[in-house]
Amino acid sequence: MKDIKSKSSLNSISDRNKKNTKSLAIWTSAWLLSLALVAFGPVLLWEYNKVISLCAIAINLLMGYKMIMANKQHLEDLDELQQRIHFVAMALSLGVSMVFGAVFGLLEAVRLVEFQPNPSSVLFVMGISYGVGMLLAHRKYS
């Protein structure tokens, strides 16, 4: 009886993880596509029409909100170990991104570089540090 209950529980967790991962992938893809629309649409599609640009930004914010909610649901439905692994990775990513972003933003002001730092570079650092954090946390807790 106990095996049946725990097997059923595992299937339930596995099913929830599949459903949440699929939802997160869909909303993340929608957010990325809407971000590309905001970035390239004014140049390639609507010649800087402000109304259309504002609509694209509103859609991007909505997709971002849905992505955040999907991520929240995904994290809430993970087991305690998986939540801990994500927590460690997110903490590393936040710290690295904050430190890197602060210094990166000052590079032009202190005349170490001649270009204006692009804030999107911080997103790459955030993604890479999150991935490294996931690897380190998996190794630590495995």
Side-chain angles (χ1 to χ4, degrees):
M1 184 72 173
K2 190 175 181 180
D3 282 343
I4 293 172
K5 187 176 179 181
S6 70
K7 192 172 185 177
S8 172
S9 177
L10 285 176
N11 283 340
S12 176
I13 289 172
S14 176
D15 290 343
R16 266 195 329 239
N17 281 342
K18 285 180 186 175
K19 178 183 160 206
N20 288 337
T21 301
K22 183 178 178 182
S23 174
L24 186 57
I26 289 169
W27 287 114
T28 301
S29 298
W31 174 73
L32 283 172
L33 289 173
S34 68
L35 187 63
L37 190 65
V38 170
F40 302 114
V43 177
L44 301 175
L45 299 175
W46 57 79
E47 298 182 10
Y48 298 99
N49 182 310
K50 288 183 181 179
V51 173
I52 297 174
S53 292
L54 288 172
C55 289
I57 289 170
I59 290 169
N60 177 257
L61 292 173
L62 178 65
M63 297 299 118
Y65 171 77
K66 295 296 283 184
M67 179 183 69
I68 291 168
M69 291 297 107
N71 194 29
K72 180 180 177 281
Q73 185 65 50
H74 175 70
L75 292 172
E76 286 178 352
D77 286 347
L78 293 174
D79 65 31
E80 290 180 21
L81 178 60
Q82 291 171 326
Q83 287 177 344
R84 180 75 182 164
I85 289 170
H86 281 273
F87 176 76
V88 169
M90 286 179 185
L92 178 68
S93 177
L94 175 65
V96 168
S97 300
M98 188 175 75
V99 170
F100 173 79
V103 168
F104 191 60
L106 292 174
L107 291 178
E108 183 187 22
V110 297
R111 298 184 181 175
L112 287 176
V113 297
E114 294 184 15
F115 62 91
Q116 185 172 4
N118 188 344
S120 65
S121 301
V122 176
L123 293 177
F124 288 107
V125 171
M126 184 180 282
I128 292 168
S129 63
Y130 181 76
V132 169
M134 287 292 290
L135 287 173
L136 293 174
H138 269 284
R139 289 180 78 190
K140 180 179 179 181
Y141 294 111
S142 294

